[in-house]
Structures are given as structure tokens and as C-alpha cells.
């Protein structure tokens, strides 16, 4: 019988966790003839009672495993940690807020079982529950990165996908620090079947991604999967050299014909400011790549674990033994 591992990054999901667990257990029950389930929850440094909720779940259900980080490392790091811990034949990553419907797992599983595909990925046809600006921003981002990157980025793609062990191992073999998982999934290749679904609003709690975080995430994606901005800086430079050459010619000819009256100071200042701006912009782009390279060369761990269900159990036992003596 195949084992399906469900990896769930959780940040302040105290309220959604029990609902999520209940919903997936229901699906597991329906699929019990075909597959066994394993849960890998990753507590990404939550500030609410998420860890306690996870301890409780792990206590009552031995299929539940969890990792608890020493601080908030971000969803990408949490997914990586979960994928590393997962031991199933098929592995899926799901949000804890039930925006990814567990009922789809049945369909995804049966597609993989046919053997033609290595991965069943989902994309949402709508963005219910997200603000107008977020929708606009997302649309622009996908248009931009679609032009810039050779790695295909599917608009509306969720991180919710069921993958074979082989594909998971491929994703795990990329140990980069700046992880843009949507890109990594696409980068490893393999045959992916896309299915669509209607996105629901999150069941409880609120979104962890504000526009600032989302912007940083977008820059991460672009820098990780495209070097076009660097080339762009070069092209802008070339363009301005060309303009300068024409201007020099015009000025020489003008001076030869009409003499050299000193004027044009305001226009000069404008041009100076403009070019200064462009130069700083290009330096900024280079800086962004340099910064990422710098972080990458430090080889810092992607995440740090503070507690797992095993370490918690041991600690509890020790404490009990301590009180007995
Ligand atoms: N998440 C996380 N670490 C973070 C932010 C989010 O593990 O720093 C998790 C969160 O608990 C949820 C998933 O990532 O399971 C998606 O987050 P959210 O629903 O807030 O994002 P949205 O659906 O609004 O994009
Ligand atoms: Mg969500």
C-alpha cells in the first residue's frame, strides 16, 4: 500500500489546525483501501498556540509528526523541512488554512497511480479572499517573470501538489538558501499534470502575507530564476551611450555653425539627475544579486529545529521519571 505524506507549514494556525486535521482525516478514511497517510506539520516559529495544538495531535494520532522551528524561517524553509522529514511514496504540501481542498487528493492520487505523471499540481482559477491590490500585483508579477525566466511559472499555481518520491528527492537535492519553491518545482522538470480548482477563503485566522512580504517574495523569485535584470542594466547603459554619442555630434555641429553661447544649465541638471538615477538603479540590481550570492556562500542552515514529537516525548518521560525519584 502506498503512503502519502502531507507536509503542512504552519505559522499562527492555532485555529485552523484542528479543522484542517479533521478534514484530511476524513479524506484519509475514504481512501483507506488505497493509501495510508502520514502528517508532517512544521511549526514555523508561531507566536500563538500552534505548537500546543501540534503536541496534542501527535499525542492522539501516531500518524502525526511535527517539527518546530526555533524561530520564524518562512514558508519556503518550512516546506523544505517538511519534505525532508516526509517518508511517504507520494508527498504533498498543503496550506493549513484549508484553502487547498483535501478532497482533491483522491483525484491527484489516482492520476499518479496511473503512472503517466510524476506530479499532479494545482492552480486556482480565482483568487477569492485576496485584496484588489494583491490580485493586480500577482498578475503583473507573473507577466514579468514569464518574460524574464526560462523556468516556466504558471499563473495561479499553488504550492499544493502531489509528487512522487523521485521528484521530491530531486527538489531536496537543491539545497539553496534563497528558496523560491514554485520555481524549484518547475526547475526539476518531470511530467506534471495540472488540475484547476476554485479557491476558498481561509477557514480561520488571517493571511500571513502582506504586500511588503509579497514584494520581497516576488524579488526573490525573479533573482532566483532570472538574470535578465542584470542584462537589462547593460542594455540601459548601452542605450544611454548611444544617446550621448548623438548629443555630442549635435553639440559639435551646433557650436560650429552658431558659435558657443552658454545656456542650457537646467536641461543639463535634469540629464545629470536622470542618469544618476539610472546608474543607482542598475547598481541596485547588481547589489540584489550580490546580496543573494553573499547569503548563499555563507551556507547557513535553511532552518533550525527546536522540538519534534520524539524530543518532546522524551523530555516528558524524563520529567516524569524525575518526579517519581
Ligand atoms: N506560513 C508559514 N510561515 C510563514 C508564513 C506562512 O509557514 O512565515 C504558512 C501558513 O501557516 C499557511 C501557508 O504558509 O499554512 C500559507 O500562508 P497564508 O495562508 O497566510 O498565505 P496566503 O494563502 O494568504 O498566500
Ligand atoms: Mg492561505
Amino acid at each position: 500500500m502506498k503512503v502519502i505524506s502531507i507536509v503542512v507549514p504552519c505559522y499562527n494556525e492555532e485555529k485552523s489546525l484542528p479543522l484542517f486535521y479533521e478534514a484530511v482525516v476524513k479524506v484519509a478514511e475514504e481512501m483507506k483501501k488505497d493509501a495510508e497517510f502520514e502528517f508532517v506539520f512544521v511549526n514555523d516559529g508561531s507566536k500563538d498556540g500552534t505548537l500546543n495544538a501540534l503536541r496534542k495531535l501527535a499525542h492522539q494520532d501516531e500518524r502525526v509528526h511535527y517539527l518546530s522551528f526555533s524561530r520564524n524561517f518562512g514558508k519556503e524553509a518550512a516546506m523544505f523541512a517538511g519534505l525532508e522529514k516526509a517518508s511517504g511514496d507520494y508527498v504533498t504540501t498543503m496550506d493549513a488554512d484549508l484553502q487547498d481542498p483535501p478532497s482533491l487528493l483522491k483525484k491527484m492520487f489516482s492520476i499518479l497511480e496511473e503512472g503517466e505523471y510524476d506530479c499532479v499540481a494545482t492552480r486556482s482559477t480565482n483568487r477569492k479572499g485576496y485584496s484588489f491590490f494583491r490580485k493586480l500585483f500577482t498578475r503583473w508579477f507573473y507577466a514579468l517573470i514569464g518574460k524574464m525566466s526560462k523556468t516556466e511559472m504558471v499563473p495561479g499555481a499553488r504550492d499544493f501538489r502531489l509528487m512522487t518520491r523521485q521528484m521530491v528527492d530531486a527538489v531536496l537535492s537543491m539545497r539553496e538558501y534563497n528558496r523560491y519553491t514554485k520555481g524549484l518545482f518547475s526547475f526539476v522538470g518531470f511530467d506534471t499534470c495540472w488540475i484547476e480548482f476554485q479557491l476558498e477563503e481561509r477557514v480561520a485566522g488571517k493571511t500571513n502575507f502582506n504586500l511588503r512580504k509579497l514584494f520581497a517574495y516576488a524579488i526573490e523569485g525573479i533573482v532566483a530564476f532570472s538574470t535578465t535584470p542584470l542584462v537589462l542594466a547593460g542594455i540601459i547603459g548601452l542605450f544611454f551611450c548611444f544617446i550621448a554619442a548623438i548629443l555630442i555630434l549635435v553639440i559639435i555641429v551646433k557650436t560650429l555653425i552658431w558659435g558657443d553661447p552658454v545656456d542650457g544649465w537646467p536641461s543639463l541638471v535634469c540629464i545629470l539627475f536622470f542618469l544618476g538615477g539610472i546608474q543607482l538603479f542598475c547598481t541596485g540590481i547588481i547589489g540584489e544579486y550580490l546580496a543573494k550570492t553573499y547569503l548563499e556562500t555563507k551556507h547557513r542552515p535553511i532552518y533550525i529545529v527546536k522540538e519534534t514529537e520524539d524530543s518532546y516525548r522524551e523530555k516528558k518521560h524524563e520529567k516524569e521519571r524525575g518526579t517519581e525519584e
Side-chain angles (χ1 to χ4, degrees):
M1 195 136 80
K2 291 270 167 52
V3 177
I4 301 178
S5 299
I6 300 184
V7 171
V8 194
C10 312
Y11 180 63
N12 296 345
E13 301 284 8
E14 177 183 20
K15 291 207 191 76
S16 9
L17 264 182
L19 300 169
F20 173 84
Y21 172 75
E22 205 176 296
V24 178
V25 164
K26 216 167 99 194
V27 175
E29 194 59 32
E30 287 164 16
M31 290 174 69
K32 73 174 175 216
K33 271 208 228 79
D34 310 308
E36 280 169 19
F37 278 70
E38 172 199 56
F39 295 85
V40 181
F41 291 100
V42 183
N43 173 31
D44 185 13
S46 301
K47 294 187 175 62
D48 64 354
T50 301
L51 181 57
N52 264 332
L54 289 179
R55 284 173 180 157
K56 214 154 77 190
L57 285 182
H59 183 70
Q60 73 191 48
D61 185 344
E62 60 182 21
R63 292 174 297 178
V64 173
H65 307 281
Y66 71 85
L67 296 170
S68 184
F69 286 176
S70 57
R71 65 169 167 84
N72 180 250
F73 279 86
K75 184 184 175 188
E76 308 293 313
M79 282 198 290
F80 179 74
L83 289 180
E84 261 192 339
K85 171 116 175 161
S87 61
D89 306 296
Y90 295 144
V91 184
T92 177
T93 48
M94 290 177 87
D95 287 1
D97 55 10
L98 280 180
Q99 281 193 298
D100 302 323
S103 55
L104 270 186
L105 281 172
K106 272 178 270 179
K107 185 171 166 195
M108 293 160 91
F109 176 76
S110 61
I111 293 176
L112 277 193
E113 280 290 271
E114 280 165 22
E116 200 185 324
Y117 292 102
D118 307 290
C119 169
V120 184
T122 60
R123 55 186 295 255
S124 58
T125 46
N126 64 328
R127 296 188 178 274
K128 197 168 154 190
Y130 293 131
S131 70
F132 170 76
F133 280 113
R134 176 153 176 185
K135 284 181 202 162
L136 190 73
F137 184 74
T138 314
R139 188 142 19 98
W140 285 351
F141 169 73
Y142 279 110
L144 192 69
I145 201 163
K147 287 211 169 61
M148 281 186 174
S149 177
K150 285 197 194 83
T151 308
E152 191 194 5
M153 306 286 171
V154 179
R158 306 278 304 166
D159 289 328
F160 179 33
R161 48 170 73 218
L162 190 66
M163 295 170 276
T164 58
R165 172 71 8 215
Q166 196 185 17
M167 181 164 170
V168 174
D169 288 341
V171 172
L172 287 175
S173 72
M174 287 182 290
R175 303 197 56 87
E176 56 205 84
Y177 183 76
N178 298 287
R179 302 188 74 79
Y180 182 72
T181 310
K182 280 195 180 67
L184 295 178
F185 284 150
S186 176
F187 179 88
V188 293
F190 293 99
D191 294 315
T192 303
C193 170
W194 286 93
I195 55 179
E196 293 188 348
F197 73 95
Q198 290 268 329
L199 201 64
E200 293 299 324
E201 284 183 46
R202 74 175 8 260
V203 278
K206 58 179 196 310
T207 173
N208 296 298
F209 286 90
N210 52 25
L211 275 183
R212 188 181 56 78
K213 253 191 174 176
L214 222 56
F215 188 71
Y217 184 56
I219 299 283
E220 188 114 318
I222 291 172
V223 173
F225 282 94
S226 165
T227 46
T228 309
L230 286 173
V231 179
L232 213 66
I235 291 174
I236 294 175
L238 266 183
F239 176 72
F240 279 100
C241 285
F242 179 68
I243 301 268
I246 290 176
L247 276 179
I248 289 169
L249 269 182
V250 169
I251 288 167
I252 290 175
V253 170
K254 236 175 101 180
T255 317
L256 285 179
I257 297 175
W258 288 291
D260 182 26
V262 180
D263 61 2
W265 186 84
S267 56
L268 197 70
V269 170
C270 290
I271 291 168
L272 225 80
F273 266 89
F274 183 60
L275 287 185
I278 298 274
Q279 278 174 354
L280 283 179
F281 176 68
C282 293
T283 317
I285 292 179
I286 298 170
E288 197 61 43
Y289 281 87
L290 187 68
K292 296 279 188 239
T293 314
Y294 174 59
L295 285 175
E296 217 57 73
T297 55
K298 290 188 188 206
H299 297 296
R300 283 182 180 164
I302 297 168
Y303 62 90
I304 295 170
V305 175
K306 188 177 164 197
E307 182 185 311
T308 66
E309 78 276 0
D310 291 329
S311 79
Y312 180 66
R313 209 179 303 127
E314 239 162 67
K315 217 164 115 187
K316 225 169 81 177
H317 277 313
E318 250 168 50
K319 228 182 192 168
E320 280 164 9
R321 247 179 279 145
T323 47
E324 272 168 25
E325 283 164 15

